[in-house]
Amino acid sequence: MNNLEKILNHNKAFVENKEYEQFLTDKFPNRKIVVVTCMDTRLVELLPKALNLKNGDAKIIKNAGAIITQPFGNIMRSVLVALYELKADEVFIIAHHGCGMTGIDPETVVGHMLERGISEQTINTLRHSGVDLNRWLTGFDNLRDSVEKSVSIVRNHPLLPPNTPVHGLAIHPDTGALDLIVDGYQK
């Protein structure tokens, strides 16, 4: 049985047994927070438990590295929608120690793309069409600097509601311990 079949079989039983009932809530975050965090598999259950978040408490946005690189990209758009339309009023950027985006080499990633079947022509077309693959695929060298930069992009966004706290933290993926990097209440 492949992964899709396993998921669909489990889902059928999940719905038939009404296991979803324990997760019922609405679209508005009870704790009025939006969290930007990493997609790391170690954080799937650990992060909400370490923050004492239950289903319905927060809007959680995940990407590689919890990095906000573009003030008008998808992550920032999601933050703004959460703040303006979904009643969130506080932002938490939570990266983690030992992140796979630490020191990632864009040329290595492109090499892996080529190994997996992306043609050199496609890579060259993108590079000659104004796409800066190296910038797009770059991670970070210093966790603290990365969190501070993401917090700064959010905090200084021209569309951020005035006086919105924007916090920056790092979580230890083994223990769940949090390190405070930026206290959004202190500007």
Side-chain angles (χ1 to χ4, degrees):
M1 184 179 311
N2 64 38
N3 283 328
L4 177 61
E5 291 168 333
K6 288 177 187 174
I7 287 171
L8 291 174
N9 285 339
H10 171 81
N11 180 258
K12 184 177 181 188
F14 180 85
V15 173
E16 286 174 355
N17 296 329
K18 297 185 179 187
E19 293 177 48
Y20 58 84
E21 289 179 346
Q22 64 183 314
F23 303 107
L24 291 175
T25 187
D26 61 28
K27 65 183 177 180
F28 302 107
N30 297 327
R31 303 249 316 259
K32 297 186 182 243
I33 64 174
V34 57
V35 176
V36 177
T37 193
C38 186
M39 64 185 191
D40 191 288
T41 57
R42 297 170 289 179
L43 303 182
V44 171
E45 292 185 53
L46 178 68
L47 182 94
K49 296 261 191 262
L51 274 60
N52 193 29
L53 296 176
K54 312 234 178 333
N55 201 53
D57 280 349
K59 294 295 181 184
I60 300 179
I61 303 164
K62 294 184 174 198
N63 73 358
I67 303 169
I68 299 175
T69 57
Q70 302 190 18
F72 291 94
N74 288 336
I75 300 299
M76 193 63 216
R77 180 188 66 200
S78 296
V79 168
L80 291 172
V81 167
L83 293 169
Y84 282 105
E85 299 301 317
L86 301 171
K87 301 182 182 177
D89 58 17
E90 204 160 339
V91 180
F92 289 77
I93 311 293
I94 306 177
H96 67 94
H97 297 279
C99 183
M101 291 299 284
T102 306
I104 193 167
D105 176 22
E107 288 302 324
T108 300
V109 177
V110 170
H112 292 148
M113 290 174 180
L114 294 168
E115 290 170 7
R116 302 247 336 240
I118 302 301
S119 72
E120 186 76 44
Q121 179 181 0
T122 298
I123 300 297
N124 287 333
T125 298
L126 290 171
R127 286 190 168 142
H128 296 301
S129 299
V131 176
D132 185 347
L133 286 176
N134 284 357
R135 181 177 181 273
W136 189 59
L137 294 170
T138 294
F140 54 86
D141 292 323
N142 181 291
L143 178 67
R144 176 173 287 278
D145 291 346
S146 178
V147 170
E148 287 173 347
K149 183 176 179 184
S150 291
V151 166
S152 179
I153 287 172
V154 176
R155 183 182 279 164
N156 294 301
H157 198 282
L159 299 176
L160 185 75
N163 302 313
T164 300
V166 182
H167 311 285
L169 299 100
I171 188 170
H172 291 266
D174 296 328
T175 65
L178 292 169
D179 296 325
L180 180 62
I181 296 172
V182 177
D183 180 342
Y185 299 129
Q186 299 176 353
K187 286 193 173 186

